[in-house]
Amino acid sequence: MKLDSWLLEILACPNCQGALRADESADELVCTGECGYAYPVRDDIPVLLVDEARTPAQ
């Protein structure tokens, strides 16, 4: 997964507006805010759709 650090600084969780951190092993961006959703990264493009997110319970 190739994401620039400046991109991670400006991206926010669409569900709770929390910051996102990269999880390289799972190719996901994980919300560090209250919801904890994990958003997939496909072909180095973050898919920031709540419907596509994995919830912490999954």
Side-chain angles (χ1 to χ4, degrees):
M1 174 169 60
K2 296 178 185 177
L3 294 176
D4 292 329
S5 59
W6 62 266
L7 182 61
L8 281 176
E9 290 177 18
I10 61 172
L11 289 178
C13 174
N15 187 53
C16 73
Q17 287 70 49
L20 297 170
R21 68 169 174 79
D23 182 351
E24 299 281 341
S25 64
D27 283 338
E28 294 178 327
L29 293 179
V30 180
C31 176
T32 60
E34 57 190 55
C35 74
Y37 282 13
Y39 299 92
V41 177
R42 297 185 185 125
D43 297 323
D44 295 329
I45 300 170
V47 181
L48 298 178
L49 300 171
V50 175
D51 291 343
E52 295 281 328
R54 182 178 55 80
T55 60
Q58 290 180 331

